[in-house]
Amino acid sequence: MILLAFGVAGCGAGANQQVDARVPPAARNSPSPQPESFVAWKAAFRTRAIAQGISPGVFDAAFQGVGVNADVVRLDGRQAEFTKPIWEYLDSAASPTRVETGRAKRRELGPTMTAIEARYGVDGEAVLAIWGMESNYGANRGDIPVIESLATLAYEGRRRSFAEEQLVAALRILQAGDVTPAEMRGSWAGAMGHTQFIPTSYQSYAVDFGGDGHRDVWSNDPTDALASAANYLAKSGWRLNQPWGIEVHMPAGFSYASADQGNRKPVSHWNGLGVTTMDGRPIPDYGPAAIIAPAGARGPTFAVFQNFYVIKKYNNATSYAMGVGTLADRIGGGGGFVSPWPRDERELSRTEKIELQERLIAKGYDTGATDGVIGPNTIQAIRGFQSAQGMTPDGYASSALLLKLR
């Protein structure tokens, strides 16, 4: 939901549950508390910020009235016990309402989107899809003061050094005059505007496409934000008029051990193994591709190309990349999936995923962590156990697998 924000970047396929970053404004009418320890932290941070080039006047204006935001503390500590399976996530990501709104925005912003596409070489549907995923086309941009959210996280969050880095970057943005402290609002984790840039990403990729002298991702006009997202994708290696991925048909006897997004091969490799498009034709050559099976061997499989990996640079969750890609396809007139999802399969809870990791480790399969996130290490561990048990090594963390481990 937020660009490389706390707890999202690097989560891989485990990041299927999105937290609503907004908090009703009424909940923030009273001043946030400033305990003595926060006042001491702020004084020490002020010295560090000034040493990094932030002027005392900018710092003092930005921190006027800033305290410890209880909503940020609560949201930072929230780890969802239950997450959506990939098919429910994609149902939501590319819901009929979101698709229709995206098409309407394309018509409404036609000349702007055409100009952005021409300048950056990024398909307009992909930019619109990121906008739809990040803020529901600007409807949910977040309303927490960014300086306060980041100060809270730098003071007592889970990733304090990262939060402090973002806080310094936010102060640099204020110092550059792109926005005022009052206008600089965003999510609980400090992601800002229509496309939810964190401050360092804003510094690297935000552009003044409107030509008014400011890189404005916060106002009701989304032009700069959309162009900035396109610039991000372009600099990450986007390939114009190429798909993120296509659904493919798997031949009998295919080894799902090779269905891994890290296993990129020439398309000729997969065609040689008998993998085809859903209508039986060879996979088109859009460059090296990997085969992924996000719901295991029982669900649809996909050949993914360069643009899939570019979207993952925006947000590293596989589910997010598929959500953006699927929404972009539907905005552009594409249809749904051909193969059914295993909707009878129950998504494991976070507690169950931790148990699964612990049991794999106990049997000699290294998951890298016991955090309830089914990332690459855990997937490889699952595959090792599945292979040893004579199961299809698809790396999918199913309830049947957990029962087998028990």
Side-chain angles (χ1 to χ4, degrees):
M1 188 170 189
I2 47 184
L3 173 59
L4 301 181
F6 303 79
V8 176
C11 288
N16 284 346
Q17 181 73 20
Q18 295 182 357
V19 176
D20 187 347
R22 297 168 297 154
V23 178
R28 293 185 298 278
N29 284 339
S30 57
S32 297
Q34 298 185 19
E36 288 185 8
S37 57
F38 176 80
V39 173
W41 169 84
K42 182 173 70 171
F45 173 65
R46 185 178 187 274
T47 299
R48 294 193 295 274
I50 291 171
Q52 295 180 65
I54 303 301
S55 76
V58 167
F59 185 98
D60 294 339
F63 271 82
Q64 183 68 37
V66 167
V68 179
N69 190 300
D71 295 314
V72 172
V73 173
R74 175 176 57 83
L75 290 167
D76 183 51
R78 177 187 293 177
Q79 290 182 292
E81 176 66 14
F82 296 98
T83 59
K84 293 180 180 179
I86 183 66
W87 50 90
E88 288 185 12
Y89 181 94
L90 295 178
D91 288 347
S92 176
S95 67
T97 298
R98 190 170 279 176
V99 171
E100 287 306 313
T101 302
R103 291 173 180 172
K105 293 295 184 183
R106 177 87 211 210
R107 293 190 296 270
E108 176 188 335
L109 301 171
T112 297
M113 296 308 303
T114 299
I116 288 173
E117 186 173 285
R119 181 176 299 184
Y120 297 104
V122 174
D123 300 88
E125 289 80 8
V127 176
L128 290 167
I130 284 177
W131 188 23
M133 290 282 287
E134 293 294 342
S135 68
N136 194 20
Y137 304 105
N140 303 336
R141 282 169 270 169
D143 195 41
I144 300 178
V146 168
I147 297 300
E148 180 160 283
S149 63
L150 291 174
T152 299
L153 293 168
Y155 162 65
E156 66 172 24
R158 291 178 293 119
R159 299 175 62 191
R160 297 182 187 182
S161 62
F162 179 76
E164 184 163 314
E165 176 191 13
Q166 298 305 315
L167 184 52
V168 171
L171 291 168
R172 292 189 194 281
I173 293 167
L174 293 173
Q175 189 158 282
D178 279 314
V179 66
T180 67
E183 294 167 333
M184 185 185 258
R185 291 176 172 269
S187 76
W188 68 270
M192 309 178 298
H194 291 267
T195 48
Q196 294 289 276
F197 273 20
I198 57 172
T200 51
S201 293
Y202 175 96
Q203 287 186 303
S204 296
Y205 302 108
V207 297
D208 174 23
F209 196 78
D212 65 356
H214 299 284
R215 300 180 293 171
D216 185 3
V217 302
W218 300 272
S219 71
N220 290 332
D221 182 352
T223 300
D224 283 358
L226 297 177
S228 298
N231 185 46
Y232 191 111
L233 296 177
K235 288 186 175 179
S236 298
W238 187 267
R239 295 179 180 174
L240 183 66
N241 296 325
Q242 293 195 11
W244 66 274
I246 57 175
E247 188 178 355
V248 292
H249 176 73
M250 309 308 293
F254 178 82
S255 173
Y256 278 85
S258 63
D260 188 286
Q261 60 188 267
N263 185 30
R264 300 172 77 174
K265 300 287 187 182
V267 166
S268 59
H269 172 82
W270 303 116
N271 286 334
L273 292 178
V275 182
T276 69
T277 62
M278 295 306 289
D279 57 6
R281 294 180 295 176
I283 302 171
D285 190 358
Y286 295 111
I291 302 297
I292 64 170
R298 293 184 61 212
T301 51
F302 304 85
V304 293
F305 304 98
Q306 171 71 6
N307 288 345
F308 171 79
Y309 299 93
V310 171
I311 299 169
K312 288 197 72 181
K313 291 180 182 178
Y314 202 98
N315 179 316
N316 198 39
T318 295
S319 53
Y320 178 88
M322 291 190 66
V324 168
T326 301
L327 179 56
D329 289 346
R330 305 282 170 80
I331 291 173
F337 305 115
V338 177
S339 298
W341 294 98
R343 294 181 182 270
D344 60 330
E345 182 69 57
R346 180 180 66 82
E347 180 80 359
L348 297 180
S349 69
R350 180 173 176 272
T351 298
E352 288 174 320
K353 290 174 182 176
I354 291 173
E355 179 191 349
L356 182 145
Q357 290 172 320
E358 291 172 343
R359 291 184 179 276
L360 284 168
I361 291 172
K363 292 183 180 295
Y365 300 96
D366 183 14
T367 64
T370 54
D371 55 4
V373 176
I374 308 301
N377 291 332
T378 299
I379 290 171
Q380 287 304 113
I382 290 172
R383 284 196 170 120
F385 175 77
Q386 288 172 325
S387 295
Q389 296 295 313
M391 304 167 68
T392 300
D394 59 10
Y396 185 61
S398 66
S399 55
L401 175 70
L402 181 57
L403 287 173
K404 189 80 171 177
L405 282 163
R406 287 171 174 168

